[in-house]
Amino acid sequence: MRKNTCYRGNRTVQAMVTWVVLGGGLLALYVLIYYNLVRCPKCRSSLKLTGKTVIVTGANTGIGKACALDLAKRGARVILACRDKVKAEAAVYDIRKESGNNEVLFMHLDLESLQSVRSFAETFLKSEPRLDVLINNAGLARGKMSSDGFSIEFRVNHLGHFLLTILLLDRLKQAKAGRVVVVASEAHRWGSIDSHVLSGVATKNTGWSTFRPYCDSKLCNILFTRELANKLEGTNVSCYAVHPGCVFTDLSRNMKFWQKLLFVPLAKLFFRDAENGAQTTIYCTVQEGIEMLSGRYFSECQVKEVSASGRDDALAKKLWEVSERLVGIA
């Protein structure tokens, strides 16, 4: 009897030791992943932006809000260009309170509506005497079609920002050193530019998954930045595309319930928070001496190579021409 008791006791101890070792190993693995993949290098520039004006689209939450907060702390006048008035005004209150900077304002912008983009630009140009930085941050992944037959992702993530940038470009050129920062993604590597888009013809691609049109729109971001840099050559405006990393933001708000059940727990463990995700955007906004890298793609606060499609100058030029026709400025 005593031997059996001792035997069972030894097995219990061994099991406990095994679980402790396994738990320690998993914890060590998570720490390794966190410090090498999840946590992003901080932007170390201490540059002040007092007297400068910055527009951040989609700044009521997530990366955009974190970026706007950082820039407000640096003394910039920050315009939160957002669709949701209630959330945007709440964000303005939060940012003013935390930064101590009252030069934080909300202006309505719905990137899905080209008329809204034009109205925003008109209002801004009438009310604001300067623009130093435009941060095209807003983005979504919804997997739905817009009224004209294009994916919502193409309409919002690319076309709305394309028109916004064109309408504000002259004001940016008046700044001493204007910048355009485009929030793209590593997802561009899985993207492609549909032939219907390049011909300027809408088509209902109802078979696409939620992720595919998002990847396509991010490739558009890369190509747009590349061609924009070519057109800005010789001016005092530079532009950069950035990858924020895998960030747990409101981008998941359009997922189905079962997708959220799988995604959210993993995202909270292995994805960056908004502050970490904003670091490369902040870097390309304030870092001095990177003007010669205009048109390039940044990740982890450093230059990174894009996919072969993202380096296709002919494709970038064609996308620009089609985008001009689609927004009615060709």
Side-chain angles (χ1 to χ4, degrees):
M1 180 67 72
R2 187 174 297 174
K3 288 183 177 181
N4 289 337
T5 301
C6 291
Y7 177 69
R8 286 197 297 270
N10 289 337
R11 290 188 62 182
T12 301
V13 171
Q14 289 174 354
M16 290 176 63
V17 170
T18 299
W19 280 110
V20 169
V21 172
L22 181 60
L26 290 174
L27 179 61
L29 179 61
Y30 176 74
V31 170
L32 185 66
I33 292 173
Y34 177 82
Y35 281 97
N36 287 276
L37 298 176
V38 178
R39 193 178 69 165
C40 178
K42 296 285 187 179
C43 173
R44 297 185 177 183
S45 172
S46 58
L47 183 72
K48 292 296 183 181
L49 299 177
T50 306
K52 295 189 176 182
T53 299
V54 181
I55 293 175
V56 186
T57 68
N60 61 293
T61 188
I63 298 170
K65 184 179 179 181
C67 186
L69 174 60
D70 181 278
L71 302 179
K73 287 180 177 179
R74 295 171 185 267
R77 180 176 175 85
V78 185
I79 310 296
L80 277 58
C82 308
R83 179 179 59 84
D84 191 314
K85 180 180 179 181
V86 174
K87 290 183 178 179
E89 289 181 341
V92 168
Y93 175 82
D94 292 342
I95 294 170
R96 284 181 176 180
K97 183 178 180 180
E98 189 169 345
S99 67
N101 181 354
N102 287 325
E103 294 291 295
V104 180
L105 309 171
F106 158 66
M107 290 180 62
H108 180 264
L109 172 65
D110 181 357
L111 286 160
E112 187 179 346
S113 166
L114 297 182
Q115 181 54 50
S116 176
V117 175
R118 289 189 172 90
S119 295
F120 172 90
E122 182 180 0
T123 301
F124 177 85
L125 292 173
K126 285 181 179 179
S127 61
E128 298 291 330
R130 66 180 297 160
L131 176 61
D132 298 272
V133 183
L134 170 62
I135 301 177
N136 292 333
N137 164 80
L140 52 74
R142 192 178 296 173
K144 294 183 179 180
M145 309 300 294
S146 62
S147 58
D148 55 9
F150 291 101
S151 73
I152 291 291
E153 289 82 357
F154 177 79
R155 186 82 174 189
V156 173
N157 300 356
H158 167 64
L159 210 57
H161 280 129
F162 175 87
L163 177 59
L164 179 65
T165 305
I166 298 303
L167 294 176
L168 297 177
L169 210 50
D170 285 342
R171 184 60 55 86
L172 278 165
K173 289 177 181 178
Q174 294 174 17
K176 183 178 179 180
R179 291 192 181 185
V180 179
V181 182
V182 181
V183 178
S185 170
E186 276 291 282
H188 83 274
R189 299 185 187 279
W190 295 279
S192 61
I193 306 299
D194 194 279
S195 60
H196 291 279
V197 173
L198 291 179
S199 63
V201 178
T203 179
K204 290 185 178 296
N205 293 293
T206 53
W208 282 4
S209 68
T210 300
F211 190 56
R212 175 62 189 276
Y214 177 77
C215 297
D216 296 345
S217 72
K218 293 294 117 176
L219 177 57
C220 288
N221 291 157
I222 297 290
L223 293 169
F224 164 63
T225 306
R226 190 175 184 89
E227 183 63 15
L228 179 61
N230 290 334
K231 293 186 178 298
L232 290 173
E233 191 172 351
T235 72
N236 57 331
V237 181
S238 55
C239 58
Y240 314 93
V242 305
H243 170 54
C246 294
V247 184
F248 184 46
T249 68
D250 279 354
L251 196 66
S252 62
R253 66 186 178 274
N254 297 307
M255 289 183 175
K256 296 178 181 177
F257 178 72
W258 68 267
Q259 292 175 321
K260 288 184 178 180
L261 287 178
L262 296 174
F263 174 78
V264 172
L266 291 174
K268 286 187 175 181
L269 280 174
F270 295 105
F271 283 21
R272 294 172 178 170
D273 59 19
E275 182 182 357
N276 273 289
Q279 293 306 306
T280 303
T281 300
I282 296 167
Y283 177 88
C284 287
T285 300
V286 303
Q287 186 63 39
E288 297 174 289
I290 62 171
E291 289 77 13
M292 73 290 293
L293 298 172
S294 182
R296 299 293 298 275
Y297 175 61
F298 285 74
S299 178
E300 310 289 336
C301 297
Q302 58 186 340
V303 175
K304 189 171 183 179
E305 200 61 72
V306 298
S307 67
S309 295
R311 300 191 299 272
D312 190 331
D313 286 325
L315 184 60
K317 183 177 177 62
K318 180 65 176 177
L319 176 64
W320 185 284
E321 293 169 351
V322 170
S323 298
E324 282 185 324
R325 290 201 301 272
L326 291 175
V327 301
I329 60 174

